[in-house]
Amino acid sequence: SYELTQPPSVSVSPGQTARITCSGDALPKQYAFWYQQKPGQAPVVVIYKDSERPSGIPERFSGSSSGTTVTLTIRGVQAEDEADYYCQSADSSGTYVVFGGGTKLTVL
Amino acid sequence: QVQLVQSGTEVKKPGASVKVPCKTSGYTFTGYHMHWVRQAPGQGLEWMGWIKPSSGGTNYAQKFQGRVTMTRDTSISTAYMELSRLTSDDTAVYYCARDGCDGDCYSGSFDYWGQGTLVTVSS
């Protein structure tokens, strides 16, 4: 079955830039979405369609795509950004939704 | 405002079934696909499938085919996810999540989530 691969963890100091990658063979064909999940809460979308930012999401969150890899970038990381981040997309046919394994962002 | 409201907790014995409701308000229930996603304790998100409330059509993840049934009651704007033959591996928080496509379409992403229902399977 199709998989999306993320690093398990990323650590940055406040004010620095965090980059979280997500790799999958179908990403050139299918949009990617990014969700932020804090403990005990439901996920919240922070990036949709590879690079679009929903209203209410801070401008420091951005997304990009290059070939089979998509990247979530958080510039000027703040303590409140510490959370789990999941990429999500679909298989090449668009039939099945897939999540990456998640990346725990730690703000040092 | 859009709301997806889920019940708090269910406790089931191995081999039993569970039916989780997701009551919606604040939008046209039949206008958006509804997805179900689960998350085992300390683990990642796992997509289970979707239902199209206007037609009742469904699409299930291969892992759950034969064991999951998604239904809806349009009169009360509520979606349901029923999972049968439960084992301890099914202990998880089960979320309903609205598809992010605005209108009679499909995006395969999620814009609003319920707060989740914890299903515990234990003898």
Side-chain angles (χ1 to χ4, degrees), chain A residues 8 19 21 25 40 55 57-58 64 67 73-75 79 82 102-103 106:
Chain A
R19 293 181 178 85
T21 59
D25 289 341
S55 60
I57 300 301
S64 61
T73 301
I74 311 172
R75 291 184 167 80
E82 186 163 283
T103 299
T106 299

Side-chain angles (χ1 to χ4, degrees), chain A residues 95-96, chain B residues 48 59-68 83 85:
Chain A
T95 302
Y96 300 114
Chain B
M48 300 181 70
N59 178 35
Y60 302 141
Q62 290 178 320
K63 174 178 179 177
F64 299 102
Q65 288 177 10
R67 209 160 65 90
V68 70
L83 190 62
R85 304 193 300 277

Side-chain angles (χ1 to χ4, degrees), chain B residues 46-113:
Chain B
E46 182 174 32
W47 178 76
M48 300 181 70
W50 55 250
I51 182 168
K52 185 176 181 181
S54 60
S55 65
T58 55
N59 178 35
Y60 302 141
Q62 290 178 320
K63 174 178 179 177
F64 299 102
Q65 288 177 10
R67 209 160 65 90
V68 70
T69 304
M70 296 177 188
T71 57
R72 88 291 190 221
D73 185 338
T74 57
S75 68
I76 55 172
S77 300
T78 299
Y80 302 91
M81 186 286 299
E82 183 170 19
L83 190 62
S84 63
R85 304 193 300 277
L86 293 169
T87 71
S88 57
D89 289 341
D90 294 315
T91 293
V93 174
Y94 289 77
Y95 293 101
C96 57
R98 193 183 79 165
D99 189 83
C101 194
D102 186 3
D104 187 18
C105 53
Y106 173 79
S107 75
S109 64
F110 322 101
D111 59 357
Y112 288 91
W113 296 65

